[in-house]
Amino acid sequence: NKPAGMIIHPAAVDRADTLVNALQWHLDQTAAATGLLRPGIVHRLDRDTSGVVVTTKDHLSHRRLSISFQERTIRKVYFAVVEGWPADDTGTIDTPIGKVADPESNLVSAAPDAINPRAARTDYSVLEKFDGWSLVEARPLTGRLHQIRVHLASIGHPLLGDPFYGPGGDIRRDRNGILLIEPPSDPPWPAIGRHALHARSLSFEHPITGRPLTIESPLADDLSRMLADARG
């Protein structure tokens, strides 16, 4: 149940306090020797996305689960809080995603001029509507980088708190964090300190026993409080 703000793997500027560090510490408490068991990462969540992550403790499980992700047999459900009200309460966004034109940027785009676009599809349902914003269930059928964030922004409904992807898919900030698009001066939606995306559940067959599993994560505290305040 990954908290928002934690990255998966150590990086150049973030060597500690990652999910891999935490999992390695946990495994070392039960293994016969330090480092004997290694966490097998089979998928990722963005730093500021909270919720369910599945990892493995042996090579066979890692291989089989990795194949399940590649073959898209794992059902993923996310909760997203977005700006505005989507025109349709249910729908499918079937738009390829590729890199933005800046070769040094790690941002992606669903725009026609995206570089090396790959097929991407997201089903969605609007769960609740508030004053100028909505709670949406998103079900990605592919696994592209930033897919839900980019797809919802591309139809005019970016995630609350997303610093990069704006309405229509416009890039709000460049890779250096320089503001490109001014935010609304008095938006109707509440402020939040990260993009409002939560990995609600994963459904898959256990890689060894074949037993069907659904793992759910309760909504993160910051999103839960925001919704509770709006509901009164």
Side-chain angles (χ1 to χ4, degrees):
N1 188 11
K2 188 186 85 64
M6 174 182 281
I7 63 173
I8 301 292
H9 286 284
V13 295
D14 292 289
R15 302 299 302 173
D17 299 325
T18 71
L19 183 64
V20 166
N21 294 136
L23 288 171
Q24 188 62 64
W25 181 90
H26 173 74
L27 293 175
D28 286 343
Q29 307 311 299
T30 58
T34 299
L36 182 64
L37 296 177
R38 306 288 293 179
I41 304 297
V42 292
H43 70 123
R44 303 185 185 194
L45 296 178
D46 294 338
R47 177 197 294 269
D48 283 338
T49 301
S50 53
V52 177
V53 178
V54 61
T55 65
T56 64
K57 296 189 290 184
D58 64 83
H59 293 297
L60 180 59
S61 294
H62 186 272
R63 176 60 179 159
R64 288 179 175 174
L65 265 184
S66 296
I67 291 173
S68 294
F69 273 95
Q70 291 166 9
E71 294 181 344
R72 305 174 187 173
T73 60
I74 294 183
R75 184 173 186 269
K76 297 171 281 186
V77 176
Y78 289 76
F79 285 168
V81 185
V82 304
E83 300 175 7
W85 300 345
D88 299 314
D89 286 344
T90 61
T92 296
I93 306 168
D94 194 356
T95 308
I97 293 175
K99 289 186 66 65
V100 298
D102 183 350
E104 297 184 19
S105 174
N106 67 343
L107 300 179
V108 293
S109 173
D113 62 350
I115 299 172
N116 297 325
R118 301 173 67 189
R121 179 177 173 181
T122 304
D123 292 340
Y124 72 88
S125 304
V126 178
L127 301 180
E128 290 187 75
K129 296 179 180 179
F130 301 97
D131 184 15
W133 52 286
S134 307
L135 173 64
V136 172
E137 179 183 283
R139 301 174 297 278
L141 304 180
T142 49
R144 308 303 178 210
L145 180 68
H146 300 174
Q147 176 173 320
I148 294 173
R149 296 166 61 188
V150 171
H151 266 173
L152 290 173
S154 74
I155 63 169
H157 302 285
L159 270 59
L160 267 61
D162 196 320
F164 294 108
Y165 301 111
D170 291 336
I171 302 299
R172 287 172 158 159
R173 297 178 183 271
D174 68 10
R175 60 187 172 84
N176 297 314
I178 297 175
L179 191 65
L180 303 176
I181 300 174
E182 288 289 340
S185 58
D186 188 23
W189 49 82
I192 185 171
R194 51 110 171 188
H195 63 241
L197 186 62
H198 179 79
R200 169 59 173 163
S201 68
L202 287 173
S203 299
F204 55 94
E205 292 185 353
H206 190 286
I208 303 300
T209 68
R211 182 166 63 95
L213 296 173
T214 294
I215 312 299
E216 294 184 342
S217 165
L219 196 60
D221 288 345
D222 57 345
L223 299 180
S224 183
R225 286 193 301 269
M226 182 172 65
L227 293 171
D229 289 345
R231 293 166 181 152

